[in-house]
Amino acid sequence: MNWADSNTALESFLPDWIETAAEEARSVALGMLRERGRGAVLVGVARLDTALDVLLKAALAPPRGSETLLLADRPLGSLGAKIALAARLGLIDPAVEQSLHNLRRVRNGFAHSTAPVRLADPPYRDRLRDSVAQARRNPLWQPMQTILEQHLAEQTGCPEAEHDPGLQSFVLLITILVAFVETAARLLSPIRPSLSLTFEEGISRSINATQ
């Protein structure tokens, strides 16, 4: 199956409301499959970091100047801080929050290791086991897994999946998270508090507060 022509296969499995997520998923998975070994992990989690940027910017009021809140050298610039903020804003549930932290820790392990590492190695496999089990319940998992397996079977120059049996589950986990994070960002309006502080009124109540 040609990856670019897989629309019909996915649409036969998925309800209309996640078609946008499915489109995003194809792009994410294909980008990760171009990488090898350590690169796939670093690129995948970097893509997730970018998706969280998009989600948080969609949820927060627009900046009054240039956007600096989420820059790398700011307190909210790290992946861990973005995950914590998304959780405190109610944008992700505890299971997703834990999975994001697990992926962050795996990324750190791969980035700092000087020895060869694989996702199938016990420390990383064990850390991601629960996250993968949770993600398997997502309606996007099965159709994406089918397409991914067919795509890998057609590639003669992709021995990495055989060398690291954990790669496929990792790609699917990242794919699903990025797809739904970015789809949520498109559907989200900025959160509006019920009041704000002003010099003139002291406390100004908003009639358009987020419920």
Side-chain angles (χ1 to χ4, degrees), residues 53-143:
D53 269 4
V54 174
L55 180 67
L56 291 171
K57 288 175 182 176
L60 298 173
R64 294 185 174 91
S66 58
E67 179 61 82
T68 61
L69 186 65
L70 302 174
L71 293 180
D73 61 344
R74 296 302 177 99
L76 294 177
S78 71
L79 178 56
K82 293 172 191 175
I83 295 168
L85 179 58
R88 292 294 296 271
L89 290 173
L91 298 173
I92 56 177
D93 74 1
V96 171
E97 179 186 10
Q98 186 60 54
S99 293
L100 292 173
H101 279 303
N102 287 341
L103 287 164
R104 176 180 60 83
R105 294 182 182 109
V106 168
R107 185 273 313 269
N108 291 346
F110 269 64
H112 297 142
S113 175
T114 57
V117 285
R118 302 187 313 155
L119 288 162
D121 293 342
Y124 306 113
R125 180 195 64 210
D126 296 345
R127 188 176 292 282
L128 294 177
R129 180 183 291 114
D130 289 344
S131 298
V132 169
Q134 295 269 4
R136 284 183 183 277
R137 300 204 293 266
N138 187 280
L140 201 57
W141 181 282
Q142 187 57 53

Side-chain angles (χ1 to χ4, degrees), residues 192-196 204-211:
R192 297 181 181 275
S194 59
L195 57 83
S196 62
S204 174
R205 296 194 176 276
S206 173
I207 60 174
N208 296 316
T210 303
Q211 300 297 318

